[in-house]
Amino acid sequence: RDPPSMSDAKQVAEKKAGEGAIELVCKWGKREMILKVQKDDTVGTIRRMMEEMTNVPAKRQKLIGLRSRKSRKLDDAVAVSSLVLKGPLPKFKMIGVPEADAFVDRDEADMPDIINDLDYDYDYKAEQAAPLIEDPENRKKLEAALAKLDINIINPPRPGKKLLVLDLDYTLFDMKSTAENFNELKRPYSDYLLTELYPHYDIVIWSQTSWKWLEIKLTELGFLTNAHYKICFVLDKTCMFSVSSKQKDGTMRKHQVKALGVVWGKFKDRWTHKNTIHIDDLSRNFALNPQSGLKIKAYRKAHKNRAKDKELMLLTRYLKLIALEDDFSKLDHHSWKDYLLKAAESEDVS
């Protein structure tokens, strides 16, 4: 009998591999793709396969629906055999932007899990922000952003309501941790905050993300369909522009900003610095309007911190209290928790 040829050996190998293959369905945007993996392949293998199929770099992929049997953390080294796979054709979702379309703030992309805010972020006060606000180049950028801004109103603004601008990633949602579904990454009290504040504020979400992925996140988190509150409109990364800020060591650092001037310019008779507040986990985002900004603690490591995170519960209390104020610009949002303590003491006395 003739010895097997190289082509025969290849066919046998492929058949053997096929027999042990596991098919996974990945949904990316509107596309669904089938991946064939082996039990001894890893999450890293899946990421590399997805990178080849979508051009989304592995390090920027967010996988939803894949979970390890042994650990809450989905490391790249986790074997396929250790994943919880349901049904004959297990499905998961991937969120990520192709390399060619990526808007990357390099600082953000390389940001560690634990940030030294004193080194990285900027604690703006009005006097420190003045040079940025008055800078002719920044004024031109603001005018250009305002001119090109086309707001898609989801729910019309209501007469007499103040404006609440909310960041999404790390403010309402832990974007870095892995989970079986989005609700596991949703910050505690998110819906409570939005429900309680809706009678007092029109609500806007502003995220440094492309609209395509922002819409997916908001839909999966249920923010666009909740019966107890309505989002007025959503702004994405295209409404932002860059400025250069001076760090504590005197060096300049370029970063993106969410300039509320673009919103105020579109709604001149409705919202100003007197009735607008912007909530974010990075104060550098409100560098051009620091007195309207309130920085909260970033929500990370959802599985570890979900049970003890009360930041939005406290924030809700603060925002309900100041809703009675006529002029927000007279408030010091840096000391918002001190404001709560004083309010609690006054209630105790009365």
Side-chain angles (χ1 to χ4, degrees), residues 1 111 197 210 248 257 286:
R1 184 179 177 181
M111 192 183 298
L197 297 180
S210 66
K248 288 192 173 183
V257 292
F286 37 77

Side-chain angles (χ1 to χ4, degrees), residues 58-250:
K59 68 178 182 179
R60 292 211 297 271
Q61 295 172 13
K62 184 167 187 63
L63 306 181
I64 303 292
L66 291 181
R67 180 165 59 89
S68 170
R69 298 177 189 277
K70 303 177 181 178
S71 167
R72 286 189 176 276
K73 192 172 182 180
L74 194 68
D75 290 324
D76 282 357
V78 172
V80 171
S81 59
S82 296
L83 296 176
V84 177
L85 301 176
K86 299 178 180 179
L89 205 59
K91 295 184 178 183
F92 69 97
K93 295 179 182 179
M94 188 267 281
I95 293 179
V97 181
E99 184 66 41
D101 300 332
F103 170 86
V104 182
D105 178 342
R106 290 298 173 189
D107 298 331
E108 189 80 24
D110 298 332
M111 192 183 298
D113 283 341
I114 300 175
I115 302 172
N116 185 337
D117 285 335
L118 295 178
D119 291 339
Y120 182 74
D121 203 14
Y122 308 91
D123 189 18
Y124 288 100
K125 299 292 176 64
E127 60 273 15
Q128 295 167 316
L132 284 176
I133 297 170
E134 299 301 326
D135 183 271
E137 189 64 28
N138 290 340
R139 284 182 171 272
K140 287 180 182 178
K141 290 179 179 179
L142 178 59
E143 291 171 2
L146 178 58
K148 75 174 185 179
L149 179 61
D150 182 19
I151 296 178
N152 178 28
I153 301 294
I154 302 173
N155 293 287
R158 297 163 296 159
K161 302 302 179 184
K162 293 178 169 62
L163 178 62
L164 172 61
V165 179
L166 288 164
D167 175 45
L168 181 62
D169 294 338
Y170 299 125
T171 296
L172 302 177
F173 168 66
D174 175 6
M175 66 168 288
K176 195 164 187 178
S177 297
T178 56
E180 196 163 353
N181 61 69
F182 273 78
N183 281 326
E184 293 181 23
L185 303 178
K186 191 175 187 177
R187 191 169 198 163
Y189 300 100
S190 291
D191 288 322
Y192 169 77
L193 175 140
L194 295 168
T195 299
E196 290 292 310
L197 297 180
Y198 184 64
H200 309 284
Y201 298 84
D202 278 329
I203 302 167
V204 169
I205 304 289
W206 194 344
S207 177
Q208 190 172 341
T209 309
S210 66
W211 170 247
K212 179 179 180 180
W213 305 115
L214 180 53
E215 184 179 25
I216 290 173
K217 290 178 184 179
L218 292 173
T219 301
E220 293 289 340
L221 290 165
F223 290 145
L224 298 180
T225 55
N226 195 293
H228 301 293
Y229 57 81
K230 295 180 180 180
I231 304 300
C232 186
F233 58 88
V234 176
L235 300 178
D236 65 4
K237 69 181 186 183
T238 61
C239 306
M240 300 175 67
F241 56 86
S242 62
V243 301
S244 294
S245 294
K246 183 181 289 187
Q247 299 181 88
K248 288 192 173 183
D249 62 3

Side-chain angles (χ1 to χ4, degrees), residues 36-54:
K36 291 186 177 181
V37 295
Q38 302 297 315
K39 289 184 178 181
D40 56 355
D41 283 335
T42 64
V43 172
T45 307
I46 293 174
R47 290 187 188 278
R48 288 190 291 274
M49 293 173 72
M50 292 306 304
E51 181 170 0
E52 290 178 6
M53 298 171 75
T54 65

